[in-house]
Coordinates of all heavy atoms in Angstrom, one line a residue:
M1326 N -10.9 17.1 7.7 CA -9.7 16.5 8.5 C -10.2 15.4 9.4 O -9.3 14.6 9.7 CB -9.1 17.6 9.3 CG -8.3 18.6 8.5 SD -7.1 17.9 7.4 CE -5.6 18.0 8.3
E1327 N -11.4 15.4 9.7 CA -11.9 14.3 10.6 C -11.9 13.0 9.9 O -11.5 11.9 10.4 CB -13.3 14.5 11.1 CG -13.8 13.5 12.0 CD -15.2 13.9 12.5 OE1 -15.5 15.1 12.7 OE2 -16.0 13.0 12.8
W1328 N -12.2 13.0 8.5 CA -12.2 11.8 7.7 C -10.7 11.2 7.7 O -10.5 10.0 7.8 CB -12.6 12.1 6.3 CG -12.6 10.9 5.4 CD1 -13.6 9.9 5.2 CD2 -11.5 10.4 4.6 NE1 -13.1 8.9 4.4 CE2 -11.8 9.3 4.0 CE3 -10.2 10.9 4.3 CZ2 -11.0 8.6 3.1 CZ3 -9.4 10.3 3.5 CH2 -9.8 9.1 2.9
L1329 N -9.8 12.1 7.4 CA -8.4 11.7 7.4 C -7.9 11.1 8.7 O -7.2 10.0 8.7 CB -7.4 12.9 7.1 CG -6.0 12.6 6.9 CD1 -5.8 11.7 5.6 CD2 -5.2 13.9 6.7
S1330 N -8.3 11.7 9.8 CA -8.0 11.2 11.1 C -8.6 9.8 11.4 O -7.9 8.9 11.9 CB -8.4 12.2 12.2 OG -8.1 11.7 13.5
D1331 N -9.8 9.6 11.0 CA -10.5 8.4 11.3 C -10.1 7.3 10.4 O -10.0 6.1 10.8 CB -12.1 8.6 11.1 CG -12.7 9.5 12.3 OD1 -12.0 9.7 13.3 OD2 -13.8 10.0 12.0
N1332 N -9.9 7.5 9.1 CA -9.6 6.5 8.1 C -8.2 6.2 7.8 O -7.8 5.2 7.2 CB -10.4 6.8 6.8 CG -11.9 6.7 7.1 OD1 -12.4 5.9 7.8 ND2 -12.6 7.7 6.5
V1333 N -7.3 7.1 8.2 CA -5.8 7.0 7.8 C -5.0 6.9 9.1 O -4.3 6.0 9.3 CB -5.3 8.1 6.8 CG1 -3.9 7.9 6.6 CG2 -6.1 8.0 5.5
V1334 N -5.1 8.0 9.9 CA -4.2 8.1 11.0 C -4.5 7.1 12.1 O -3.7 6.4 12.6 CB -4.3 9.5 11.6 CG1 -3.5 9.7 12.8 CG2 -3.8 10.5 10.5
A1335 N -5.8 6.9 12.4 CA -6.2 5.9 13.4 C -5.8 4.5 13.2 O -5.2 3.9 14.1 CB -7.7 6.0 13.7
P1336 N -6.0 4.0 12.0 CA -5.6 2.5 11.7 C -4.1 2.4 11.8 O -3.5 1.4 12.4 CB -6.1 2.2 10.3 CG -7.2 3.1 10.1 CD -6.8 4.4 10.8
V1337 N -3.4 3.3 11.2 CA -1.9 3.3 11.2 C -1.4 3.4 12.7 O -0.4 2.7 13.1 CB -1.3 4.3 10.3 CG1 0.2 4.3 10.4 CG2 -1.7 3.9 8.9
T1338 N -1.9 4.4 13.4 CA -1.4 4.5 14.8 C -1.8 3.3 15.6 O -0.9 2.9 16.5 CB -2.2 5.7 15.4 OG1 -1.9 6.9 14.6 CG2 -1.7 6.0 16.8
G1339 N -2.9 2.7 15.4 CA -3.2 1.4 16.1 C -2.2 0.4 15.9 O -1.9 -0.4 16.8
V1340 N -1.9 0.2 14.6 CA -0.9 -0.8 14.2 C 0.5 -0.6 14.8 O 1.1 -1.4 15.3 CB -0.8 -1.0 12.7 CG1 0.3 -1.9 12.3 CG2 -2.1 -1.6 12.2
I1341 N 0.9 0.7 14.8 CA 2.2 1.0 15.3 C 2.3 0.9 16.8 O 3.3 0.4 17.4 CB 2.6 2.5 14.9 CG1 2.8 2.5 13.4 CG2 3.8 3.0 15.7 CD1 3.0 4.0 12.9
N1342 N 1.2 1.1 17.5 CA 1.1 0.9 19.0 C 1.1 -0.5 19.3 O 1.4 -0.8 20.5 CB -0.1 1.6 19.5 CG 0.0 3.2 19.5 OD1 1.1 3.7 19.5 ND2 -1.1 3.8 19.5
E1343 N 0.8 -1.4 18.4 CA 0.9 -2.8 18.7 C 2.3 -3.3 18.8 O 2.5 -4.4 19.3 CB 0.1 -3.6 17.6 CG -1.4 -3.5 17.7 CD -2.1 -4.2 16.6 OE1 -1.3 -4.9 15.8 OE2 -3.3 -4.1 16.5
G1344 N 3.3 -2.5 18.3 CA 4.6 -2.9 18.4 C 5.2 -3.6 17.1 O 6.0 -4.5 17.2
I1345 N 4.9 -3.1 16.0 CA 5.4 -3.6 14.7 C 6.9 -3.2 14.6 O 7.2 -2.1 15.0 CB 4.6 -3.1 13.6 CG1 5.1 -3.7 12.2 CG2 4.6 -1.6 13.5 CD1 4.2 -3.5 11.0
P1346 N 7.8 -4.1 14.3 CA 9.2 -3.8 14.2 C 9.4 -2.8 13.1 O 8.7 -2.8 12.0 CB 9.8 -5.1 13.9 CG 8.9 -6.2 14.2 CD 7.5 -5.6 14.1
P1347 N 10.5 -1.9 13.2 CA 10.7 -0.9 12.1 C 11.0 -1.5 10.7 O 10.5 -1.0 9.7 CB 11.9 -0.2 12.6 CG 11.9 -0.4 14.1 CD 11.3 -1.8 14.3
S1348 N 11.6 -2.7 10.7 CA 11.8 -3.3 9.4 C 10.5 -3.8 8.7 O 10.4 -3.6 7.5 CB 12.8 -4.5 9.5 OG 12.2 -5.5 10.3
D1349 N 9.6 -4.3 9.5 CA 8.3 -4.7 8.9 C 7.5 -3.5 8.6 O 6.8 -3.5 7.5 CB 7.6 -5.5 10.0 CG 8.1 -6.9 10.2 OD1 9.1 -7.2 9.5 OD2 7.7 -7.6 11.1
L1350 N 7.6 -2.4 9.3 CA 6.9 -1.1 9.0 C 7.4 -0.6 7.7 O 6.7 -0.2 6.7 CB 7.0 -0.2 10.1 CG 6.3 1.2 9.9 CD1 4.9 1.1 9.8 CD2 6.7 2.2 11.0
A1351 N 8.8 -0.6 7.5 CA 9.4 0.0 6.3 C 9.0 -0.9 5.1 O 8.7 -0.4 4.0 CB 10.8 0.1 6.4
F1352 N 9.0 -2.2 5.3 CA 8.7 -3.1 4.2 C 7.1 -3.0 3.8 O 6.9 -3.0 2.6 CB 9.0 -4.6 4.6 CG 8.7 -5.5 3.5 CD1 9.5 -5.6 2.4 CD2 7.7 -6.5 3.6 CE1 9.3 -6.5 1.4 CE2 7.5 -7.4 2.6 CZ 8.3 -7.4 1.5
S1353 N 6.3 -2.8 4.8 CA 4.9 -2.6 4.5 C 4.7 -1.3 3.7 O 3.8 -1.3 2.8 CB 4.1 -2.5 5.8 OG 4.2 -3.8 6.5
I1354 N 5.3 -0.3 4.1 CA 5.2 1.0 3.3 C 5.7 0.9 1.9 O 5.1 1.4 1.0 CB 5.9 2.2 4.1 CG1 5.2 2.5 5.4 CG2 6.0 3.4 3.2 CD1 5.9 3.4 6.3
A1355 N 6.9 0.2 1.8 CA 7.4 0.0 0.4 C 6.5 -0.8 -0.5 O 6.3 -0.6 -1.6 CB 8.8 -0.6 0.6
L1356 N 5.9 -1.9 0.2 CA 5.0 -2.8 -0.6 C 3.8 -2.0 -1.0 O 3.4 -2.2 -2.1 CB 4.8 -4.0 0.3 CG 4.1 -5.2 -0.4 CD1 5.0 -5.7 -1.5 CD2 3.8 -6.3 0.6
G1357 N 3.2 -1.2 -0.1 CA 2.1 -0.4 -0.4 C 2.3 0.5 -1.5 O 1.4 0.7 -2.4
T1358 N 3.5 1.2 -1.5 CA 3.9 2.1 -2.5 C 4.0 1.5 -3.9 O 3.4 2.0 -4.9 CB 5.2 2.8 -2.1 OG1 5.0 3.5 -0.9 CG2 5.6 3.8 -3.2
S1359 N 4.7 0.4 -3.9 CA 4.9 -0.3 -5.2 C 3.6 -0.9 -5.7 O 3.3 -0.8 -7.0 CB 6.0 -1.4 -5.1 OG 5.6 -2.4 -4.2
C1360 N 2.8 -1.4 -4.9 CA 1.5 -1.9 -5.4 C 0.5 -0.8 -5.7 O -0.3 -0.9 -6.6 CB 0.9 -2.8 -4.3 SG 1.7 -4.4 -4.1
G1361 N 0.6 0.3 -5.1 CA -0.2 1.5 -5.3 C 0.1 2.1 -6.7 O -0.8 2.8 -7.2
L1362 N 1.3 2.0 -7.1 CA 1.6 2.5 -8.5 C 1.5 1.5 -9.6 O 2.1 1.7 -10.6 CB 3.0 3.2 -8.4 CG 3.1 4.4 -7.5 CD1 4.6 4.9 -7.5 CD2 2.2 5.5 -8.0
F1363 N 0.8 0.4 -9.3 CA 0.6 -0.6 -10.4 C -0.2 0.1 -11.5 O -1.2 0.7 -11.2 CB -0.2 -1.7 -9.7 CG -0.3 -3.0 -10.6 CD1 0.8 -3.8 -10.7 CD2 -1.5 -3.3 -11.2 CE1 0.8 -4.9 -11.4 CE2 -1.5 -4.5 -12.0 CZ -0.4 -5.3 -12.1
P1364 N 0.2 -0.1 -12.7 CA -0.4 0.7 -13.8 C -1.7 0.3 -14.3 O -2.2 0.8 -15.3 CB 0.6 0.5 -15.0 CG 1.2 -0.8 -14.7 CD 1.3 -0.9 -13.2
I1365 N -2.5 -0.5 -13.6 CA -3.9 -0.8 -14.0 C -4.8 -0.3 -12.9 O -4.9 -1.0 -11.8 CB -4.1 -2.3 -14.3 CG1 -3.1 -2.8 -15.3 CG2 -5.5 -2.6 -14.6 CD1 -3.1 -4.3 -15.6
P1366 N -5.5 0.8 -13.0 CA -6.3 1.3 -11.9 C -7.5 0.4 -11.6 O -8.0 -0.3 -12.5 CB -6.8 2.7 -12.4 CG -6.6 2.6 -13.9 CD -5.5 1.6 -14.2
G1367 N -7.9 0.4 -10.4 CA -9.0 -0.4 -9.9 C -8.6 -1.8 -9.4 O -9.4 -2.4 -8.7
I1368 N -7.4 -2.2 -9.7 CA -7.1 -3.6 -9.1 C -5.9 -3.4 -8.2 O -5.4 -4.5 -7.6 CB -6.8 -4.6 -10.2 CG1 -5.5 -4.2 -11.0 CG2 -7.9 -4.8 -11.1 CD1 -5.0 -5.3 -11.9
T1369 N -5.5 -2.2 -7.8 CA -4.3 -2.0 -7.0 C -4.5 -2.5 -5.6 O -3.6 -3.1 -5.0 CB -3.8 -0.6 -7.0 OG1 -4.9 0.2 -6.4 CG2 -3.4 -0.1 -8.3
T1370 N -5.7 -2.4 -5.1 CA -6.0 -2.9 -3.7 C -6.0 -4.4 -3.6 O -5.4 -5.0 -2.7 CB -7.4 -2.4 -3.3 OG1 -7.4 -0.9 -3.3 CG2 -7.7 -2.8 -1.8
G1371 N -6.5 -5.1 -4.7 CA -6.5 -6.5 -4.7 C -5.1 -7.0 -4.8 O -4.7 -8.0 -4.2
V1372 N -4.3 -6.4 -5.7 CA -2.9 -6.8 -5.9 C -2.1 -6.6 -4.5 O -1.3 -7.5 -4.1 CB -2.2 -5.9 -7.0 CG1 -0.7 -6.1 -7.0 CG2 -2.8 -6.3 -8.3
A1373 N -2.3 -5.4 -3.8 CA -1.7 -5.2 -2.5 C -2.0 -6.3 -1.5 O -1.2 -6.8 -0.8 CB -2.0 -3.8 -2.1
V1374 N -3.3 -6.6 -1.4 CA -3.7 -7.6 -0.4 C -3.1 -9.0 -0.7 O -2.6 -9.7 0.2 CB -5.2 -7.6 -0.4 CG1 -5.7 -8.8 0.5 CG2 -5.8 -6.4 0.2
V1375 N -3.2 -9.4 -2.0 CA -2.7 -10.7 -2.4 C -1.1 -10.7 -2.2 O -0.6 -11.7 -1.6 CB -3.0 -11.0 -3.9 CG1 -2.2 -12.2 -4.4 CG2 -4.5 -11.2 -4.0
V1376 N -0.4 -9.7 -2.6 CA 1.0 -9.7 -2.4 C 1.4 -9.7 -0.9 O 2.3 -10.4 -0.5 CB 1.6 -8.5 -3.1 CG1 3.1 -8.3 -2.8 CG2 1.5 -8.7 -4.7
S1377 N 0.7 -8.9 -0.1 CA 1.0 -8.9 1.3 C 0.8 -10.3 2.0 O 1.6 -10.7 2.8 CB 0.2 -7.8 2.1 OG -1.1 -8.1 2.1
F1378 N -0.3 -11.0 1.6 CA -0.5 -12.3 2.2 C 0.5 -13.4 1.5 O 0.8 -14.3 2.2 CB -1.9 -12.7 2.0 CG -2.8 -12.1 3.0 CD1 -3.7 -11.1 2.5 CD2 -2.7 -12.4 4.3 CE1 -4.6 -10.5 3.5 CE2 -3.5 -11.7 5.3 CZ -4.5 -10.8 4.8
L1379 N 0.9 -13.2 0.3 CA 1.9 -14.1 -0.3 C 3.2 -14.0 0.4 O 3.9 -15.0 0.6 CB 2.0 -13.9 -1.8 CG 0.9 -14.4 -2.6 CD1 1.2 -14.1 -4.1 CD2 0.7 -15.9 -2.5
Y1380 N 3.6 -12.7 0.8 CA 4.8 -12.5 1.5 C 4.8 -13.1 2.9 O 5.9 -13.5 3.4 CB 5.2 -11.0 1.6 CG 6.1 -10.5 0.5 CD1 5.6 -9.8 -0.5 CD2 7.5 -10.9 0.5 CE1 6.4 -9.4 -1.5 CE2 8.3 -10.4 -0.5 CZ 7.7 -9.7 -1.5 OH 8.6 -9.2 -2.5
R1381 N 3.7 -13.2 3.5 CA 3.5 -13.9 4.8 C 3.9 -15.4 4.7 O 4.3 -16.0 5.7 CB 2.1 -13.8 5.4 CG 1.9 -12.4 5.8 CD 0.5 -12.3 6.4 NE 0.3 -11.0 7.0 CZ 0.3 -10.9 8.4 NH1 0.5 -11.9 9.1 NH2 0.2 -9.7 8.9
L1382 N 3.8 -16.0 3.5 CA 4.1 -17.4 3.3 C 5.6 -17.7 3.2 O 6.1 -18.8 3.4 CB 3.4 -17.9 2.1 CG 1.9 -17.8 2.1 CD1 1.3 -18.3 0.8 CD2 1.3 -18.7 3.3
V1383 N 6.4 -16.6 2.9 CA 7.8 -16.8 2.8 C 8.5 -16.5 4.1 O 8.3 -15.4 4.7 CB 8.4 -15.8 1.7 CG1 9.9 -16.0 1.5 CG2 7.7 -16.0 0.4
A1384 N 9.1 -17.5 4.6 CA 9.7 -17.4 6.0 C 10.8 -16.4 6.1 O 11.0 -15.8 7.2 CB 10.1 -18.8 6.4
S1385 N 11.6 -16.2 5.1 CA 12.8 -15.4 5.2 C 12.5 -13.9 4.9 O 13.3 -13.0 5.2 CB 13.9 -15.9 4.3 OG 13.4 -15.7 2.9
A1386 N 11.3 -13.6 4.5 CA 10.9 -12.2 4.1 C 10.4 -11.5 5.3 O 9.8 -12.1 6.3 CB 9.9 -12.1 3.0
P1387 N 10.5 -10.2 5.4 CA 9.8 -9.4 6.6 C 8.4 -9.6 6.4 O 7.8 -9.8 5.3 CB 10.3 -8.0 6.3 CG 11.4 -8.0 5.4 CD 11.3 -9.3 4.6
V1388 N 7.7 -9.5 7.5 CA 6.2 -9.8 7.5 C 5.5 -8.4 7.3 O 5.5 -7.6 8.1 CB 5.8 -10.4 8.8 CG1 4.2 -10.6 8.8 CG2 6.4 -11.7 9.1
P1389 N 4.8 -8.2 6.1 CA 4.1 -7.0 5.9 C 2.8 -6.9 6.7 O 2.2 -8.0 6.9 CB 3.8 -7.0 4.4 CG 3.9 -8.4 4.0 CD 4.8 -9.1 5.0
N1390 N 2.4 -5.8 7.1 CA 1.1 -5.6 7.8 C 0.1 -5.2 6.8 O 0.3 -4.2 6.1 CB 1.3 -4.5 8.8 CG 0.1 -4.4 9.7 OD1 -1.0 -4.3 9.2 ND2 0.3 -4.6 11.0
P1391 N -0.9 -6.0 6.6 CA -2.0 -5.7 5.6 C -2.6 -4.3 5.7 O -3.0 -3.7 4.8 CB -2.9 -6.8 5.7 CG -2.3 -7.9 6.5 CD -1.2 -7.2 7.2
V1392 N -2.8 -3.9 7.0 CA -3.5 -2.6 7.2 C -2.6 -1.5 6.6 O -3.1 -0.6 5.9 CB -3.8 -2.4 8.7 CG1 -4.2 -1.0 9.0 CG2 -4.7 -3.4 9.2
I1393 N -1.3 -1.5 6.9 CA -0.4 -0.4 6.4 C -0.3 -0.5 5.0 O -0.3 0.5 4.3 CB 0.9 -0.5 7.2 CG1 0.7 -0.2 8.7 CG2 1.9 0.5 6.6 CD1 1.9 -0.3 9.5
V1394 N -0.2 -1.7 4.4 CA 0.0 -1.9 3.0 C -1.3 -1.3 2.3 O -1.1 -0.6 1.3 CB 0.2 -3.4 2.6 CG1 0.1 -3.6 1.1 CG2 1.5 -3.9 3.1
T1395 N -2.4 -1.6 2.8 CA -3.7 -1.1 2.2 C -3.8 0.5 2.2 O -4.2 1.1 1.3 CB -4.9 -1.8 2.8 OG1 -4.7 -3.2 2.7 CG2 -6.2 -1.4 2.1
V1396 N -3.5 1.0 3.4 CA -3.6 2.4 3.6 C -2.7 3.1 2.7 O -3.0 4.1 2.0 CB -3.4 2.8 5.1 CG1 -3.2 4.3 5.2 CG2 -4.6 2.4 6.0
V1397 N -1.4 2.7 2.6 CA -0.4 3.4 1.8 C -0.8 3.2 0.3 O -0.8 4.1 -0.5 CB 1.0 2.8 2.0 CG1 1.9 3.3 1.0 CG2 1.5 3.2 3.4
N1398 N -1.3 2.0 0.0 CA -1.8 1.8 -1.4 C -2.9 2.7 -1.8 O -2.9 3.3 -2.9 CB -2.3 0.3 -1.5 CG -2.9 -0.1 -2.8 OD1 -2.6 0.6 -3.8 ND2 -3.9 -1.0 -2.8
L1399 N -3.9 2.9 -0.9 CA -5.0 3.8 -1.2 C -4.5 5.3 -1.3 O -5.1 6.1 -2.0 CB -6.1 3.6 -0.2 CG -6.8 2.2 -0.3 CD1 -7.8 2.1 0.8 CD2 -7.4 2.0 -1.6
L1400 N -3.5 5.7 -0.5 CA -3.0 7.0 -0.6 C -2.3 7.3 -2.0 O -2.2 8.4 -2.4 CB -2.0 7.3 0.5 CG -2.6 7.4 1.9 CD1 -1.5 7.5 3.0 CD2 -3.5 8.6 2.0
F1401 N -1.9 6.2 -2.7 CA -1.3 6.4 -3.9 C -2.2 6.2 -5.1 O -1.8 6.2 -6.2 CB -0.1 5.3 -4.1 CG 1.2 5.8 -3.6 CD1 1.5 5.6 -2.3 CD2 2.0 6.5 -4.4 CE1 2.7 6.1 -1.8 CE2 3.2 7.0 -3.9 CZ 3.6 6.7 -2.6
T1402 N -3.5 6.3 -4.8 CA -4.5 6.2 -5.9 C -4.4 7.5 -6.8 O -4.5 7.4 -8.0 CB -6.0 6.1 -5.3 OG1 -6.0 4.9 -4.5 CG2 -7.0 6.1 -6.4
V1403 N -4.4 8.7 -6.2 CA -4.3 9.9 -6.9 C -3.0 10.0 -7.8 O -3.1 10.3 -8.9 CB -4.5 11.2 -6.0 CG1 -4.2 12.4 -6.8 CG2 -5.8 11.1 -5.4
P1404 N -1.8 9.7 -7.2 CA -0.6 9.7 -8.1 C -0.7 8.7 -9.2 O -0.2 8.9 -10.3 CB 0.5 9.4 -7.2 CG 0.1 9.8 -5.8 CD -1.4 9.6 -5.8
D1405 N -1.4 7.5 -8.9 CA -1.5 6.5 -9.9 C -2.4 7.0 -11.1 O -2.0 6.8 -12.2 CB -2.2 5.3 -9.3 CG -2.2 4.1 -10.3 OD1 -1.3 3.9 -11.1 OD2 -3.2 3.3 -10.2
I1406 N -3.5 7.7 -10.8 CA -4.3 8.2 -11.9 C -3.6 9.4 -12.6 O -3.6 9.5 -13.8 CB -5.6 8.7 -11.2 CG1 -6.4 7.5 -10.8 CG2 -6.5 9.5 -12.3 CD1 -7.7 7.8 -10.0
L1407 N -2.8 10.2 -11.9 CA -2.1 11.3 -12.5 C -0.9 10.8 -13.4 O -0.6 11.4 -14.4 CB -1.5 12.2 -11.5 CG -2.5 13.1 -10.7 CD1 -1.8 13.9 -9.6 CD2 -3.3 14.0 -11.6
L1408 N -0.4 9.6 -13.1 CA 0.7 9.0 -13.9 C 0.2 8.1 -15.1 O 0.9 7.6 -15.8 CB 1.6 8.1 -13.0 CG 2.5 8.9 -12.0 CD1 3.2 8.0 -11.1 CD2 3.5 9.7 -12.8
M1409 N -1.2 8.0 -15.2 CA -1.7 7.1 -16.2 C -1.3 7.6 -17.6 O -0.9 6.7 -18.5 CB -3.3 7.1 -16.1 CG -3.9 6.0 -16.9 SD -3.3 4.4 -16.4 CE -3.4 4.4 -14.7
P1410 N -1.2 8.9 -18.0 CA -0.8 9.2 -19.3 C 0.7 8.8 -19.6 O 1.0 8.3 -20.7 CB -0.9 10.8 -19.4 CG -1.9 11.1 -18.4 CD -1.8 10.1 -17.3
M1411 N 1.5 8.9 -18.5 CA 2.9 8.4 -18.6 C 3.0 6.9 -18.9 O 3.7 6.4 -19.7 CB 3.8 8.8 -17.4 CG 5.2 8.5 -17.6 SD 6.1 8.3 -16.1 CE 5.5 6.8 -15.4
F1412 N 2.1 6.1 -18.2 CA 2.1 4.7 -18.3 C 1.7 4.3 -19.7 O 2.3 3.4 -20.4 CB 1.2 4.0 -17.3 CG 1.6 4.1 -15.9 CD1 0.7 4.2 -14.9 CD2 2.9 4.0 -15.6 CE1 1.1 4.2 -13.6 CE2 3.4 4.0 -14.2 CZ 2.4 4.1 -13.3
V1413 N 0.7 5.1 -20.3 CA 0.3 4.8 -21.6 C 1.3 5.1 -22.6 O 1.6 4.3 -23.6 CB -1.0 5.6 -21.9 CG1 -1.4 5.5 -23.4 CG2 -2.2 5.1 -21.1
K1414 N 2.0 6.2 -22.5 CA 3.1 6.6 -23.4 C 4.3 5.6 -23.3 O 4.8 5.3 -24.4 CB 3.6 8.0 -23.1 CG 4.6 8.6 -24.1 CD 4.8 10.0 -23.9 CE 5.8 10.5 -24.9 NZ 5.1 11.4 -25.8
V1415 N 4.6 5.2 -22.1 CA 5.7 4.2 -22.0 C 5.3 2.9 -22.6 O 6.2 2.2 -23.2 CB 6.1 4.1 -20.6 CG1 7.0 2.9 -20.4 CG2 6.8 5.3 -20.0
G1416 N 4.1 2.5 -22.6 CA 3.5 1.3 -23.1 C 3.4 1.3 -24.6 O 3.3 0.1 -25.2
E1417 N 3.5 2.4 -25.3 CA 3.4 2.4 -26.8 C 4.6 1.9 -27.4 O 5.7 1.9 -27.1 CB 3.0 3.8 -27.2 CG 1.6 4.2 -26.8 CD 1.3 5.6 -27.3 OE1 2.2 6.3 -27.6 OE2 0.1 6.0 -27.2

């Protein structure tokens, strides 16, 4: 449990304490979820980082927080691996 507290809870709590608006927080979680379920394992973190920084360039979009996007993305690693047979079946 100490690992979870140090590597997941502490970074997210630090970002939330900085005063991130709720819309940006929700957008960051949604972006991390959608990038975390990208059907090619091993590149989801790179995709999440690139997409979060590309969204920062668009003035009208909410600003995603890269820390939250990456943490949520990494939390979805296990579901991504478990969904791999479904991705393969759908791709046939």
